[in-house]
Amino acid sequence: AQSVDQPDAHVTLSEGASLELRCSYSYSAAPYLFWYVQYPGQSLQFLLKYITGDTVVKGTKGFEAEFRKSNSSFNLKKSPAHWSDSAKYFCALDAASSSFSKLVFGQGTSLSVVP
Amino acid sequence: AQTIHQWPVAEIKAVGSPLSLGCTIKGKSSPNLYWYWQATGGTLQQLFYSITVGQVESVVQLNLSASRPKDDQFILSTEKLLLSHSGFYLCAWSLHRGNSDYTFGSGTRLLVI
């Protein structure tokens, strides 16, 4: 079965620090992985995705993520963090097949960047 | 440019009352369409998906149903709401299965009382 785990429910850090949000996945096939951000009361915004190729992918808002097949991880990074980065971040796995289409989300990590 | 529109923006409904939420995608032919549900403070769970008009697949059973009456329209409904139906409903589209971006609508916030 496919699953995504975001082990940190809440992360708090100071503005200017480096942020890294953890994501691990379980999937038997080659994964398509995504990061989305959700600001309070809003919908999801796409940040970046990994399909194949370079293991470090760059996205919007200055974020990047590193895919590591060895430990099934896809961690989101940004440096420096800004107070406007405070939001909830979701890692997702596209568990599509020829007969099924499903985006599986992790539990989400709420990020607070304090001045 | 593609646009995705969800309606209504928010609803407050009584337990046992019917519900109909809608989603329209413009500017894209034959998109894959999805309904997601998010409990307050929770993660997102896929409810339904559709790859073509008239065909809808259920992913989880939550006493909800979905229909795709037109290529660009996706409807989520139930005849009797439960308290557990409260949450945030998101419609999304993608170009095809796998290796494709998913674009989410602005969502409908539902409170069942």
Side-chain angles (χ1 to χ4, degrees):
Chain A
Q2 321 89 358
S3 67
V4 176
D5 183 45
Q6 293 179 250
D8 304 310
H10 300 277
V11 171
T12 300
L13 48 83
S14 299
E15 194 168 24
S18 297
L19 78 84
E20 181 168 0
L21 304 184
R22 297 187 291 165
C23 171
S24 63
Y25 68 92
S26 175
Y27 190 49
S28 57
Y32 299 145
L33 296 161
F34 299 81
W35 276 99
Y36 288 88
V37 60
Q38 185 178 38
Y39 298 98
Q42 296 187 22
S43 183
L44 298 181
Q45 295 182 27
F46 170 82
L47 284 178
L48 49 80
K49 67 179 178 182
Y50 170 79
I51 302 299
T52 187
D54 290 341
T55 56
V56 177
V57 292
K58 296 188 184 298
T60 61
K61 305 179 188 291
F63 286 93
E64 67 176 36
E66 183 176 8
F67 170 68
R68 289 189 175 180
K69 186 178 180 180
S70 59
N71 62 357
S72 300
S73 69
F74 188 54
N75 293 351
L76 184 70
K77 303 177 184 180
K78 182 178 179 180
S79 184
H82 190 263
W83 64 266
S84 60
D85 294 326
S86 298
K88 192 163 187 176
Y89 292 80
F90 289 95
C91 182
L93 165 71
D94 190 341
S97 69
S98 60
S99 59
F100 194 70
S101 187
K102 186 175 181 179
L103 199 59
V104 178
F105 286 88
Q107 311 92 313
T109 297
S110 292
L111 174 67
S112 295
V113 181
V114 297
Chain B
Q2 306 89 13
T3 60
I4 179 168
H5 173 60
Q6 280 190 247
W7 74 91
V9 172
E11 283 261 52
I12 299 177
K13 304 277 282 186
V15 169
S17 63
L19 175 76
S20 182
L21 305 180
C23 173
T24 299
I25 293 86
K26 295 298 183 185
K28 182 58 64 178
S29 178
S30 301
N32 290 344
L33 300 176
Y34 312 87
W35 277 111
Y36 285 85
W37 172 74
Q38 183 183 31
T40 301
T43 188
L44 293 102
Q45 188 170 23
Q46 185 169 329
L47 302 177
F48 299 93
Y49 76 94
S50 171
I51 61 173
T52 190
V53 174
Q55 186 177 2
V56 177
E57 299 294 332
S58 174
V59 179
V60 294
Q61 293 295 330
L62 286 179
N63 292 308
L64 295 166
S65 60
S67 64
R68 186 169 178 177
K70 302 178 185 178
D71 184 54
D72 63 353
Q73 195 173 77
F74 207 19
I75 306 296
L76 183 70
S77 61
T78 183
E79 293 187 357
K80 287 187 176 182
L81 279 166
L82 307 173
L83 287 173
S84 57
H85 286 137
S86 293
F88 194 40
Y89 289 83
L90 288 163
C91 179
W93 72 269
S94 70
L95 194 56
H96 49 74
R97 285 190 293 265
N99 192 12
S100 177
D101 292 348
Y102 291 74
T103 302
F104 288 83
S106 54
T108 295
R109 202 161 298 278
L110 174 67
L111 176 62
V112 182
I113 58 175

